[in-house]
Amino acid sequence: SLAAGFVATAVSIPVDLAKTTLQAQKPLPDGTLEYKGSVDVLVKTVQKHGPLRLWRGFSKYNKQQHTSSATNQIFSQVHTSSD
C-alpha cells in the first residue's frame, strides 16, 4: 500500500544515510575517524545540516518504492490468478 511504502521510506533513508556515511569515511590526518557509529552520524548530521537532511532524496526513493511495490503486486496477482 502507499502508506506502507511511505513509512518504509521514512524509516530506511536515515538508516541508509548513516550506513553509507560510515562506509565512505576516511581517516582524518591524525588517524582518527570523524564518526564513531550510526547514532553519531545521525546526531552530527542534524547538528550540522538540520533534521531535514536525514530525509534528503525522499521523493525519489519513495517513488522507487511505490513503483517496485506496484510491480510486485501486479506480478503476484497475475501469478495467483493463473492457478
Side-chain angles (χ1 to χ4, degrees), residues 3-68:
F6 183 86
V7 171
T9 301
V11 171
S12 65
I13 284 187
V15 173
D16 192 52
L17 169 78
K19 175 190 69 109
T20 304
T21 303
L22 284 173
Q23 290 175 334
Q25 73 177 328
K26 302 210 183 322
L28 300 171
D30 65 358
T32 63
L33 295 173
E34 181 177 359
Y35 303 106
K36 295 178 176 76
S38 299
V39 174
D40 192 35
V41 170
L42 298 175
V43 169
K44 287 181 178 176
T45 298
V46 169
Q47 288 173 343
K48 194 173 189 179
H49 303 285
L52 292 180
R53 180 58 73 100
L54 297 179
W55 291 278
R56 186 177 186 187
F58 180 87
S59 60
K60 180 180 178 183
Y61 192 87
N62 194 41
K63 182 179 176 183
Q64 194 174 6
Q65 281 285 99
H66 289 305
T67 303
S68 176

